[in-house]
């Protein structure tokens, strides 16, 4: 891992916050784009430590060329209240010491909201990348994080048109909102040539295709009945197509808690530990289809043209359904199996890549942030 020197131009420093796995692939292209601008936008990377296992954190840094965080808060796991509060408690002195020009947060995890809240109450403006996405499902912790972070942010970058409409509906002035495109897809396009071949990750198993599965949403894995139903459905899917399943630590714990550890030994189920970014990208590119409850995978499959079945009742990323390869199928076994069958017969839904998912979103954001910082500087001079 390289040591990061964000540079020291005439612009004030932007503290960039990451906490959980899906933040890393969003932040990596942003840090690079900030450093490339002339004059550069000085940055410092803060890792809250929401994710801390090597498999959930460190190994992604290497794969994504992410710098070592300048500040590590080491919060770890806890209930939502404990985790959010602990991040806030530990982030406050960082702001006191560094007095940055802005705090930049990405996505919708607890770290996103916690740091935005601390910053705004200290009078430090917040920039939110991936603003305006809404599932309209307030039982999702991420939905609460999204709505509140967007209310706190002064500059909001969106990935798709629906996001701007959602923000307008919540009373957020349009002049704060910029349609930047998708930084997660910047990472996909940049790292795809280096992706680990699926064959290598799978040791030559599944040569004629596989369904790539990820599951970790509380709504799917915390309720024993839903979890067991999904596990049984995956056994059925495996009769048709081998299942490759990198298992999130929270999901593994839940499977064990409901006494289903033997499930992993079912035929044609290939359970793997959480994978590094390049291995995951390789598996994704070559998958026959993806079954997931992740937000990021819905976008990555759309960018790569791989059919995706979303195992939820809603999506906050409607463009992946309207234009991309995504189908929201919920958790009903018959519906899931019928959709897998359809993909086996017809190859699945063909889609197109949405506007500005072109590998240049971070560049657009760096330019806008630099202009915005300059303007703020002039106002306060
Ligand atoms: C978090 C995000 C979610 C994101 C996901 C990606 C919130 C509310 N949720 O969910 O939006 O999609 O990250 O992974 O911020 N654990 C470990 N090692 C780790 C991290 C977690 O074992 O490094 C286990 C712990 O048992 C922990 C559980 O996973 O209690 C949940 O972790 P947490 O960070 O609370 O949420 P995620 O489910 O990972």
């Amino acid at each position: 891992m390289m040591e990061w020197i964000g540079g020291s131009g005439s612009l004030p420093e932007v503290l960039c916050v990451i906490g959980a796995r899906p933040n890393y692939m969003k932040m990596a292209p942003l840090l690079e784009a900030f450093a490339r601008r002339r004059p550069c936008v000085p940055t410092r990377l803060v890792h809250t430590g929401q994710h801390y296992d090597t498999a959930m954190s460190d190994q992604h840094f290497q794969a994504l060329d992410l710098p070592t965080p300048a500040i590590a808060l080491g919060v770890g796991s806890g209930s939502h209240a404990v985790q959010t509060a602990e991040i806030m408690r530990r982030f406050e002195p960082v702001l006191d010491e560094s007095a940055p020009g802005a705090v930049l947060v990405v996505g919708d995890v607890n770290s996103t909201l916690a740091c935005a809240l601390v910053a705004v109450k200290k009078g430090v403006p917040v920039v939110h990348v991936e603003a305006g996405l809404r599932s309209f499902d307030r039982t999702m912790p991420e939905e609460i994080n999204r709505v509140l972070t967007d209310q706190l942010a002064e500059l909001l970058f969106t990935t798709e048109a629906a996001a701007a409409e959602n923000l307008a509906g919540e009373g957020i002035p349009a002049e704060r909102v910029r349609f930047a495109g998708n930084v997660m897809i910047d990472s996909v396009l940049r790292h795809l040539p280096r992706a680990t071949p699926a064959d290598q990750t799978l040791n030559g198993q599944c040569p004629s295709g596989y369904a790539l599965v990820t599951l970790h949403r509380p709504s799917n894995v915390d309720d024993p009945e839903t979890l067991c139903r999904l596990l049984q459905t995956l056994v059925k899917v495996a009769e048709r197509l081998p299942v490759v399943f990198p298992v999130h630590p929270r999901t593994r714990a839940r499977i064990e808690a409901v006494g289903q550890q033997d499930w992993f030994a079912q035929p044609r189920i290939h359970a793997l530990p959480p994978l590094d970014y390049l291995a995951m990208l390789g598996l994704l590119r070559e998958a026959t289809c993806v079954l997931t409850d992740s937000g990021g995978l819905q976008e990555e499959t759309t960018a790569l043209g791989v059919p995706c079945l979303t195992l939820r009742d809603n999506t906050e990323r409607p463009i992946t359904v309207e234009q991309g390869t995504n189908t929201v199928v919920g958790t009903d076994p018959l519906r899931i199996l019928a959709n897998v069958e359809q993909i086996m017969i017809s190859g699945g839904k063909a889609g197109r890549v949405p506007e500005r998912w072109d590998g240049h979103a971070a560049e657009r954001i760096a330019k806008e942030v630099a202009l915005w910082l300059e303007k703020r500087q002039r106002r306060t001079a």
Side-chain angles (χ1 to χ4, degrees):
M1 268 183 274
M2 67 175 175
E3 196 52 55
W4 185 253
I5 299 167
S8 58
S10 57
L11 292 171
E13 181 178 76
V14 177
L15 274 191
C16 294
V17 176
I18 51 174
R21 188 172 57 173
N23 296 158
Y24 311 150
M25 38 296 239
K26 296 171 192 166
M27 192 59 82
L30 287 167
L31 292 178
E32 205 191 310
F34 284 138
R36 259 204 322 263
R37 272 203 72 76
R38 289 293 167 265
C40 80
V41 179
T43 57
R44 223 152 24 123
L45 185 61
V46 180
H47 191 339
T48 65
Q50 177 173 346
H51 283 173
Y52 45 89
D53 283 355
T54 303
M56 296 299 282
S57 192
D58 298 3
Q59 67 184 24
H60 293 273
F61 277 64
Q62 226 156 12
L64 287 159
D65 295 329
L66 256 175
T68 306
I71 301 161
L73 303 181
V75 293
S77 296
S79 69
H80 285 275
V82 166
Q83 190 175 60
T84 307
E86 199 53 36
I87 296 168
M88 291 177 71
R89 212 175 62 75
R90 296 189 191 195
F91 188 55
E92 185 170 44
V94 172
L95 283 187
D96 288 337
E97 278 154 31
S98 55
V103 166
L104 183 144
V105 294
V106 294
D108 56 14
V109 303
N110 287 344
S111 304
T112 309
L113 172 61
C115 293
L117 188 51
V118 174
V120 83
K121 289 207 169 178
K122 292 244 160 219
V124 179
V126 172
V127 179
H128 186 205
V129 174
E130 199 187 87
L133 297 179
R134 297 290 181 268
S135 65
F136 302 101
D137 173 3
R138 294 255 173 144
T139 64
M140 269 182 99
E142 294 80 3
E143 182 74 355
I144 308 298
N145 295 341
R146 292 178 196 122
V147 170
L148 296 178
T149 303
D150 287 340
Q151 284 296 328
L152 302 174
E154 192 169 313
L155 187 59
L156 300 92
F157 291 102
T158 59
T159 52
E160 57 173 283
E165 288 164 29
N166 296 334
L167 293 170
E170 291 169 17
I172 291 166
E175 59 267 23
R176 292 192 186 173
V177 182
R178 313 273 192 281
F179 175 34
N182 195 324
V183 287
M184 194 165 221
I185 304 309
D186 287 9
S187 279
V188 169
L189 297 179
R190 178 182 169 163
H191 294 288
L192 205 55
R194 294 199 295 140
T196 311
D199 213 35
Q200 191 176 318
T201 305
L202 298 172
N203 294 322
Q205 298 175 95
C206 319
S208 0
Y210 53 88
L212 179 63
V213 174
T214 81
L215 280 178
H216 75 283
R217 294 267 162 231
S219 59
N220 280 339
V221 305
D222 287 4
D223 172 40
E225 198 201 307
T226 310
L227 177 60
C228 291
R229 187 171 73 237
L230 282 169
L231 294 177
Q232 288 318 311
T233 309
L234 292 177
V235 172
K236 292 269 178 220
V237 171
E239 287 170 11
R240 198 67 179 89
L241 191 62
V243 164
V244 172
F245 185 10
V247 187
H248 189 291
R250 112 180 248 133
T251 307
R252 185 172 290 278
R254 300 292 172 184
I255 292 174
E256 285 167 8
V258 295
Q260 291 284 328
Q261 41 279 66
D262 292 349
W263 180 87
F264 292 112
Q266 302 268 1
R268 287 160 57 99
I269 300 272
H270 303 276
L272 303 171
L275 298 172
D276 75 42
Y277 184 67
L278 296 176
M280 192 62 186
L281 214 48
L283 281 183
L284 205 50
R285 174 176 57 188
E286 292 166 53
T288 309
C289 64
V290 171
L291 281 72
T292 188
D293 58 11
S294 145
L297 282 175
Q298 294 173 49
E299 296 183 337
E300 290 166 343
T301 46
T302 276
L304 295 172
V306 175
C308 177
L309 302 179
T310 293
L311 308 179
R312 289 170 42 192
D313 295 327
N314 51 53
T315 178
E316 60 287 328
R317 294 161 159 91
I319 204 164
T320 61
V321 176
E322 291 153 13
Q323 298 185 13
T325 55
N326 190 16
T327 310
V328 176
V329 296
T331 57
D332 173 57
L334 291 178
R335 192 156 173 222
I336 295 169
L337 292 168
N339 275 276
V340 170
E341 193 56 39
Q342 194 57 39
I343 290 167
M344 297 299 288
I345 293 167
S346 72
K349 193 172 165 188
R352 64 186 157 95
V353 179
E355 187 187 356
R356 300 197 191 171
W357 292 24
D358 57 358
H360 298 289
E363 261 165 65
R364 291 185 197 101
I365 292 172
K367 183 175 169 200
E368 290 290 331
V369 169
L371 291 172
W372 171 80
L373 285 171
E374 272 167 29
K375 226 177 177 172
R376 284 184 62 86
Q377 239 177 359
R378 276 200 302 273
R379 270 210 314 265
T380 51

